[in-house]
């Protein structure tokens, strides 16, 4: 069931409840009023007839019958009996009461209670006792309130028809209102349906209002903006990655083709193959980094307490193994216990981060030396990776963490511009911060700060 019909039905139920209760109250009150009014008529009828009979000496049984026969205030199918205080029937006019058998005991109980009432669907009866200075009497009067009942029935019929017709009208009117209120949503749905992954530049029309639907449309536009940017970044990433891979691949195939042009000496073959292997290694490393980059985007990275000092030693071994002329000098200071050097992190990613920083320090310095300092003081652990190399121009400081960016100082040095963007991503994943301090020609210092691991138990 769509929202429009559901809203209309909910509104219908609500209105029918309110109107239904109101109609029932009105009808009940009208029914009570009819009963009270007929009751009053019966009482005054009984009283006036009894007074005429008892108080006016000239009026006897015969005269009274004559008067009453033509009385305009007689009830329909009226029956009227008057009893004196000794239970003697003074007069009975009109129909039989039918609703009650009058016995002396009943008359005594009426005298005690003052009044007795009987109502059926056909006939109504009122018996009451009147005490007067001369003598009391009991009047029993019954009749039919055809007019009052017909009026009441008519009123009920009108109310029922009004109620039913009203419900039908309310359903259709509320559906129309709901449709009008939800039409911007319908437009939004059509707009969104027309947006595809290949055309994320399109936007929905948020209109001029400030209502919830306009807010939803604006939020969708924000989301589309973010998606477009993310898709764009991904596209760029793929283009840049394939470009970076093409360079060593072209170099490899070029060298092999040149080698195949003519017969070569064993020395030539050895040199060419050495260079190809180097390019293959570079390609492999690039591939590893690209893979690592993709992994940092995955949601399923596991974290555990990791000791950074142990990772530094492991990273150092790796860096020295790839290039034997590299030097990594490690200082670990300012800590009291091993837990001061422990962070909550992913071992593989943190190790990759340290290797990248060490390799850069060695790569961009003439002495191929990286100075690594780890400090564990207070709530934080700080890692410094410093070198005395070519340094970075301050204008490039904010860009060196971008994917595939290589600063102007990198000319003549092999690289792909991925390492630092990966480092930054890993630092952020671990809730840490990274900054660089460097000037051209004065070396570079990368400072990373993490929050120390605290065991909750
Ligand atoms: P790559 O080293 O492969 O070019 P990175 O992402 O690791 O890529 O570094 C990005 C750029 O930052 C480098 O091209 C270089 O210009 C600069 N850079 C990084 N580390 C250093 C450093 N220790 N000293 C000088 N420049 C650096």
């Amino acid at each position: 069931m769509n929202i429009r019909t559901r809203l209309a039905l909910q509104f219908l139920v609500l209105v029918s409840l309110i109107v239904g209760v109101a109609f029932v109250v009105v009808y009940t009150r009208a029914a009570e009023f009819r009963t009270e009014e007929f009751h009053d008529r019966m009482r005054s009828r009984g009283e006036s007839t009894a007074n005429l009979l008892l108080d006016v000496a000239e009026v006897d049984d015969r005269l009274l019958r004559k008067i009453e026969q033509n009385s305009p205030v007689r009830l329909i199918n009226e029956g009227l009996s008057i009893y004196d205080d000794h239970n003697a029937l003074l007069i009975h006019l009109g129909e039989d009461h039918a609703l009650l058998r009058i016995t002396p005991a009943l008359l005594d109980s009426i005298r005690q209670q003052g009044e007795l009432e009987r109502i059926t669907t056909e006939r109504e009866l009122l018996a009451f006792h009147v005490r007067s200075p001369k003598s009391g009497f009991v009047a029993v009067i019954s009749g039919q309130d055809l007019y009052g009942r017909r009026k009441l029935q008519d009123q009920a019929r009108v109310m029922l028809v009004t109620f039913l017709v009203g419900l039908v009208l309310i359903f259709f009117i509320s559906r129309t209102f709901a449709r009008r209120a939800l039409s911007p949503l319908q437009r939004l749905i059509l707009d969104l349906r027309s947006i595809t992954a290949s055309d994320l530049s399109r936007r929905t029309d948020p209109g001029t209002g400030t209502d919830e639907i306009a807010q939803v449309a604006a939020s969708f536009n924000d989301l589309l903006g973010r998606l477009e940017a993310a898709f764009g970044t991904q596209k760029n990433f793929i283009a840049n990655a394939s470009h970076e891979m093409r360079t060593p691949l072209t170099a490899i195939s070029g060298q092999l083709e040149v080698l195949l042009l003519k017969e070569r000496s064993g020395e030539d073959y050895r040199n060419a193959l050495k260079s190809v292997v180097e390019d293959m290694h570079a390609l492999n490393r690039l591939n590893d980094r690209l893979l690592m980059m993709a992994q940092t985007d995955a949601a399923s990275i596991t974290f555990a307490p990791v000791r950074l000092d142990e990772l530094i030693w492991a990273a150092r071994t790796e860096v020295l193994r790839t290039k034997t002329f590299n030097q990594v000098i490690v200082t670990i200071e300012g800590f009291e216990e091993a837990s001061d050097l422990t962070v909550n992190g992913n071992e593989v990613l943190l190790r990759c981060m340290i290797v990248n920083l060490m390799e850069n320090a060695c790569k961009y310095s003439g002495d191929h030396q990286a100075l690594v300092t780890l400090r564990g003081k207070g709530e934080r652990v700080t890692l410094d990776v410093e070198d005395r190399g070519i340094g970075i121009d301050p204008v490039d400081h904010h860009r060196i963490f971008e994917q595939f960016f290589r600063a102007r100082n990198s000319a003549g040095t092999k690289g792909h511009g991925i390492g630092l963007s990966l480092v930054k991503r890993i630092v952020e994943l671990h809730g840490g911060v990274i900054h660089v301090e460097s000037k051209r020609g004065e070396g570079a210092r990368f400072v990373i700060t993490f929050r120390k691991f605290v065991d909750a138990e």
Side-chain angles (χ1 to χ4, degrees):
M1 192 187 292
N2 57 28
I3 296 182
R4 186 161 37 118
T5 313
R6 202 159 58 220
L7 278 178
L9 281 179
Q10 281 169 354
F11 189 61
L12 187 73
V13 170
L14 197 71
V15 171
S16 59
L17 272 177
I18 295 171
V19 175
V21 168
F23 276 9
V24 167
V25 170
V26 169
Y27 178 78
T28 313
R29 188 64 209 113
E32 280 170 9
F33 182 72
R34 184 209 65 78
T35 312
E36 280 165 20
E37 194 199 41
F38 195 60
H39 190 121
D40 289 348
R41 271 179 69 198
M42 288 197 288
R43 174 177 278 281
S44 73
R45 204 50 205 118
E47 276 176 357
S48 64
T49 309
N51 287 338
L52 204 60
L53 184 69
L54 298 172
D55 295 347
V56 186
E58 293 79 15
V59 177
D60 62 3
D61 188 291
R62 267 189 43 229
L63 182 58
L64 187 62
R65 277 176 203 283
K66 220 164 191 96
I67 295 169
E68 289 300 331
Q69 241 165 24
N70 299 316
S71 168
V73 288
R74 273 186 74 185
L75 306 178
I76 297 166
N77 294 329
E78 183 187 84
L80 174 59
S81 311
I82 311 280
Y83 295 86
D84 67 10
D85 276 347
H86 307 291
N87 294 344
L89 179 63
L90 298 180
I91 190 164
H92 175 78
L93 300 168
E95 309 268 324
D96 184 16
H97 296 306
L99 293 175
L100 213 58
R101 216 166 64 81
I102 314 288
T103 61
L106 182 74
L107 290 172
D108 287 344
S109 112
I110 292 168
R111 274 188 206 95
Q112 267 174 15
Q113 288 172 23
E115 195 171 286
L116 180 89
E117 194 182 59
R118 288 277 187 283
I119 300 175
T120 65
T121 46
E122 289 280 301
R123 229 175 146 69
E124 290 166 51
L125 175 144
L126 179 71
F128 58 94
H129 176 230
V130 176
R131 235 181 281 275
S132 74
K134 281 193 218 160
S135 62
F137 64 88
V138 172
V140 180
I141 177 156
S142 64
Q144 283 179 305
D145 185 17
L146 292 182
Y147 172 72
R149 284 182 182 234
R150 210 177 300 135
K151 209 170 110 184
L152 196 64
Q153 271 171 9
D154 196 48
Q155 193 175 345
R157 212 172 297 126
V158 169
M159 285 200 298
L160 190 69
V161 172
T162 315
F163 182 66
L164 293 177
V165 172
L167 287 195
V168 175
L169 281 178
I170 285 167
F171 178 72
F172 285 109
I173 290 171
S174 53
R175 248 171 74 96
T176 311
F177 272 109
R179 189 179 50 226
R180 211 174 290 167
L182 293 174
S183 67
L185 196 60
Q186 197 66 35
R187 210 182 50 225
L188 183 65
I189 291 168
L190 290 178
D191 276 0
L192 289 177
R193 271 191 195 147
S194 66
I195 296 171
T196 58
S198 56
D199 185 16
L200 285 172
S201 60
R202 293 187 63 171
R203 295 290 179 270
T204 63
D205 176 14
T208 49
T210 51
D211 57 13
E212 288 81 352
I213 295 174
Q215 287 174 27
V216 170
S219 305
F220 265 116
N221 284 344
D222 285 350
L223 177 70
L224 286 170
R226 287 198 297 273
L227 280 179
E228 192 184 10
F231 267 66
T233 313
Q234 210 172 30
K235 260 192 213 163
N236 273 342
F237 179 78
I238 293 168
N240 285 326
S242 69
H243 175 77
E244 291 299 327
M245 293 193 93
R246 202 169 40 215
T247 316
L249 282 174
T250 316
I252 291 169
S253 61
Q255 286 177 75
L256 293 177
E257 276 164 14
V258 170
L259 203 62
L260 288 173
L261 281 179
K262 57 177 183 169
E263 197 63 33
R264 310 266 175 187
S265 68
E267 180 68 17
D268 284 348
Y269 281 121
R270 226 183 335 272
N271 285 341
L273 286 178
K274 224 169 125 191
S275 162
V276 167
V277 168
E278 253 174 42
D279 283 338
M280 293 289 280
H281 278 314
L283 200 58
N284 234 342
R285 289 181 55 69
L286 172 65
N287 194 39
D288 284 349
R289 287 179 180 184
L290 290 176
L291 205 67
M292 197 70 81
M293 193 85 101
Q295 274 174 6
T296 57
D297 282 336
S300 58
I301 299 169
T302 50
F303 285 76
V306 187
R307 277 188 53 181
L308 284 183
D309 54 332
E310 288 175 1
L311 289 187
I312 288 173
W313 293 117
R316 181 176 180 272
T317 311
E318 191 176 327
V319 171
L320 299 187
R321 196 182 53 229
T322 41
K323 292 207 170 85
T324 46
F325 51 79
N326 281 346
Q327 286 184 58
V328 179
I329 298 166
V330 179
T331 314
I332 298 176
E333 58 183 34
F335 73 100
E336 281 167 14
E337 46 195 74
S339 65
D340 288 338
L341 305 175
T342 307
V343 297
N344 187 33
N346 181 284
E347 197 177 320
V348 178
L349 293 181
L350 286 174
R351 187 171 142 161
C352 165
M353 172 196 85
I354 300 170
V355 168
N356 270 296
L357 289 170
M358 284 179 179
E359 279 184 348
N360 274 357
C362 295
K363 190 163 73 172
Y364 294 105
S365 53
D367 56 2
H368 303 295
Q369 199 176 66
L371 305 165
V372 180
T373 313
L374 183 68
R375 291 185 195 86
K377 235 182 179 179
E379 292 182 346
R380 317 213 165 247
V381 193
T382 312
L383 173 71
D384 267 27
V385 182
E386 208 176 339
D387 63 71
R388 293 188 218 96
I390 57 174
I392 309 163
D393 216 321
V395 289
D396 289 331
H397 281 193
H398 69 287
R399 294 205 64 197
I400 53 174
F401 296 106
E402 284 175 18
Q403 280 175 357
F404 302 103
F405 177 79
R406 305 202 72 212
R408 55 205 87 187
N409 63 359
S410 66
T413 322
K414 281 191 178 173
H416 306 282
I418 295 180
L420 281 185
S421 66
L422 186 57
V423 166
K424 186 161 193 261
R425 181 92 188 93
I426 295 171
V427 171
E428 284 170 351
L429 264 177
H430 288 79
V433 280
I434 180 168
H435 76 268
V436 57
E437 295 163 8
S438 178
K439 273 190 194 148
R440 196 77 193 259
E442 291 181 17
R445 180 171 174 232
F446 288 87
V447 184
I448 298 166
T449 314
F450 290 121
R451 191 178 277 276
K452 222 164 64 182
F453 172 72
V454 184
D455 199 347
E457 283 177 6

